[in-house]
DNA sequence: TATACTGGTTACTATTCGGTAACTACAAAT
DNA sequence: ATTTGTAGTTACCGAATAGTAACCAGTATA
């Protein structure tokens, strides 16, 4: 997120929302989980995301220390991503969101 | 969020992100907490938010069943908001985010 | 008479975000 | 000689989001 009022807030909670409070980042973190995964796999697994947006989000996640990026000097190139300790520590929160949604979501049948 | 790919996803986790995965909603839910609070108070307490955006977000939170809105037929008008059971059940997740951030955030001194 | 009060709404504009399609590098295989 | 493969980048455009400022109702107060 570029919003400086969030990223530079003096409230730590607001800053936290600044790093993970958008639609793609929780999805990406959840898909990576505990594995090491390549860019192309992420692009294939995550529905509807474009390579451009995926690149941007991965870059921000890396800057915020949730993600580790390992580029191998090969051809064709190979780049692997995995969650850092900080990223892994966020997984239980995503699990809690799943449980919360399962319990309270109102499903309307069309 | 208007993105139908999130709100109508067949993945419940993706739908959950569709309802709370933006920057203002976690902030608003956190500020309300367990109390009953008026529109003007929210506007005054939450930094940088505008009345327009606050109105929109409150409306969406109500539609998604996280929030209850009570309007009193008085003059000047009085409208009170409080979290529903679903909204209250989300508070521990926000607490977990605070703890997570506190533990892992890298603070850079300027 | 004019102003304040509350909880909005409206019209307009600015900014940010997201999407599409084309393009890159370099080696290996066909 | 051309195609395939990976992990992007770039330019451009449109959509979504957010911000600004003015305005509303109807009573009470100055």
């Amino acid at each position: 997120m570029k919003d400086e009022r969030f990223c530079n807030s003096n409230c730590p909670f607001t800053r936290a929302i600044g790093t993970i409070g958008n639609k793609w980042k929780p999805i990406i973190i959840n898909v990576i989980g505990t594995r090491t995964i390549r860019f192309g796999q992420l692009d294939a697994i995550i529905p509807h995301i474009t390579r451009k947006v995926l690149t941007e989000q991965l870059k921000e996640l890396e800057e915020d220390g949730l993600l580790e990026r390992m580029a191998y000097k090969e051809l064709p190139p190979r780049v692997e991503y995995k969650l850092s300790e900080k990223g892994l520590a966020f997984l239980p929160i995503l699990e809690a969101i799943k449980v919360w949604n399962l319990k309270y979501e109102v499903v309307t049948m069309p």
Side-chain angles (χ1 to χ4, degrees), chain A:
Chain A
M1 192 187 299
K2 286 178 186 169
D3 194 322
E4 304 222 336
R5 297 166 316 179
F6 277 70
C7 300
N8 302 331
S9 169
N10 58 359
C11 165
F13 177 65
T14 302
R15 291 196 302 273
I17 297 304
T19 88
I20 47 86
N22 80 356
K23 64 178 174 185
W24 288 117
K25 289 195 186 133
I27 303 287
I28 293 171
I29 296 168
N30 181 56
V31 164
I32 299 179
T34 56
R35 61 183 151 173
T36 295
I37 195 167
R38 296 180 62 171
F39 180 84
Q41 289 178 283
L42 283 171
D43 185 39
I45 293 172
I46 301 174
H48 307 298
I49 202 166
T50 63
R51 302 169 86 74
K52 181 194 154 208
V53 172
L54 182 55
T55 306
E56 289 168 355
Q57 300 294 314
L58 289 171
K59 202 172 288 179
E60 289 185 15
L61 285 171
E62 197 196 348
E63 285 169 6
D64 289 330
L66 287 137
L67 201 56
E68 287 166 22
R69 178 182 188 275
M70 297 157 296
Y72 299 88
K73 293 200 182 309
E74 300 174 0
L75 270 162
R78 179 162 60 103
V79 180
E80 291 182 343
Y81 294 91
K82 64 171 182 168
L83 295 181
S84 66
E85 194 192 336
K86 178 178 181 180
L88 290 169
F90 195 69
L91 290 176
I93 292 172
L94 297 181
E95 289 305 314
I97 292 175
K98 289 177 200 172
V99 171
W100 170 79
N101 186 72
L102 202 64
K103 184 165 179 188
Y104 291 102
E105 188 182 24
V106 178
V107 183
T108 53
M109 293 291 169

